[in-house]
Amino acid sequence: MPADAMTVVEKPLSTWELLYNWSFFRKLIILAALALAWEIYGRVLNNDLLFPTFSATVSAFFANVMNGVLPERAWGSLRVLLMGYAIGITLAAVLTALAIASRIGTDFLETMTSMFNPLPAIALLPLALIWFGLGTASLVFVLVHSVTWAIALNTHSGFLSVSRTLKMVGRNYGLRGPRFIATILIPAAFPSILTGLKIGWAFAWRTLIAAELVFGVSSGSGGLGWFIFENKNMLDIANVFAGLLTVILIGLVVENLIFQTIERHTIQRWGMQA
């Protein structure tokens, strides 16, 4: 057989195939389809008080962005969220470190997660109001509860799943204490840790919006949840949907920009995920 007959010919991909292989493009198609279905249903229903169209929602969204209301409310929510999220991560790290260091620490973490992880953070709102009053402190309290247990549970599970061989390699290199955790345990368990961070973020975000719907006013202004509540009372449903759209957009940005960037530069680069 001639040598030329054995040559493998690579067919160049079309523009559509190149775009379709890009996950961001596929997600845009899904979002466009959902927006189209939203617009069609809104026009068929023809009742802006019940279900405004996508175009009316987008118009209300940009109007509130241009007048500065939505950016101010979004930042108010995110500021509180970041405080609660940071405290929750810190507390989860302390609990996980205690669990790794001793058996009593493990028992303590397992007992606490069994007790408090199933407890909805929103159920603590009455206590938060009594203990901390109306304002940011109460919001941070329920956020810390919603974040801590999910992150601690996933981090501890990730540490337990690290192979004994890998741990022995670290011991043979003389790694002990914080160096052993930072060099061996955290990289090996990072898929579970990142999953915990994602779950903690999702819990915190929805808990914050729900809490703001109840008592989200602090120092004369509120976050996105309070924006939605105010406009519901004024029967401005387009603005209600604009607030909900803002919540969704922030969730999409955090998940598809921040967390996927972290995943791409850690888990995928380390060859821990296909």
Side-chain angles (χ1 to χ4, degrees):
M1 181 179 294
D4 293 344
M6 301 293 293
T7 304
V8 177
V9 178
E10 293 185 0
K11 180 183 176 181
L13 296 176
S14 65
T15 303
W16 168 254
E17 289 173 326
L18 289 172
L19 288 174
Y20 190 76
N21 287 335
W22 190 23
S23 64
F24 182 74
F25 179 74
R26 296 195 302 271
K27 291 177 181 179
L28 283 180
I29 294 176
I30 295 172
L31 292 175
L34 291 174
L36 180 61
W38 180 349
E39 181 71 21
I40 292 173
Y41 180 74
R43 290 182 181 275
V44 170
L45 190 61
N46 195 27
N47 187 343
D48 289 340
L49 190 61
L50 185 63
F51 195 89
T53 62
F54 179 73
S55 56
T57 301
V58 171
S59 177
F61 171 79
F62 281 109
N64 282 282
V65 168
M66 295 304 295
N67 63 25
V69 173
L70 271 179
E72 180 184 356
R73 298 300 179 89
W75 170 241
S77 292
L78 288 173
R79 179 177 55 82
V80 176
L81 177 74
L82 290 174
M83 285 191 290
Y85 195 60
I87 296 172
I89 291 175
T90 304
L91 184 56
V94 172
L95 291 172
T96 307
L98 291 174
I100 294 298
S102 64
R103 291 181 179 180
I104 188 65
T106 299
D107 293 337
F108 178 76
L109 178 59
E110 290 177 352
T111 303
M112 296 296 285
T113 52
S114 298
M115 290 170 55
F116 292 114
N117 195 39
L119 180 65
I122 205 71
L124 296 176
L125 283 178
L127 289 178
L129 284 170
I130 294 172
W131 292 344
F132 304 106
L134 192 67
T136 301
S138 297
L139 293 174
V140 171
F141 174 76
V142 295
L143 287 177
V144 170
H145 171 78
S146 66
V147 169
T148 301
W149 312 115
I151 296 178
L153 188 60
N154 278 271
T155 302
H156 186 243
S157 298
F159 285 166
L160 293 179
S161 67
V162 178
S163 68
R164 294 183 64 183
T165 303
L166 190 58
K167 293 178 181 178
M168 290 174 62
V169 170
R171 299 295 187 191
N172 290 336
Y173 274 95
L175 299 177
R176 297 290 187 275
R179 288 187 61 201
F180 178 76
I181 294 174
T183 309
I184 301 296
L185 292 184
I186 291 180
F190 199 73
S192 294
I193 295 173
L194 187 59
T195 298
L197 292 173
K198 289 180 180 180
I199 295 173
W201 151 259
F203 283 0
W205 188 223
R206 68 190 188 189
T207 297
L208 175 63
I209 299 303
E212 286 180 341
L213 283 168
V214 179
F215 62 100
V217 172
S218 177
S219 302
S221 63
L224 285 173
W226 193 253
F227 174 83
I228 294 169
F229 184 77
E230 283 181 316
N231 283 282
K232 185 270 294 183
N233 288 341
M234 294 186 291
L235 296 181
D236 194 340
I237 308 303
N239 276 348
V240 171
F241 274 70
L244 293 172
L245 181 62
T246 305
V247 173
I248 292 171
L249 290 176
I250 292 175
L252 287 172
V253 168
V254 171
E255 176 65 31
N256 293 281
L257 183 62
I258 297 177
F259 282 123
Q260 283 201 1
T261 300
I262 295 173
E263 184 175 330
R264 188 168 56 252
H265 286 84
T266 54
I267 298 173
Q268 293 181 6
R269 176 175 291 182
W270 298 338
M272 304 173 71
Q273 186 181 69

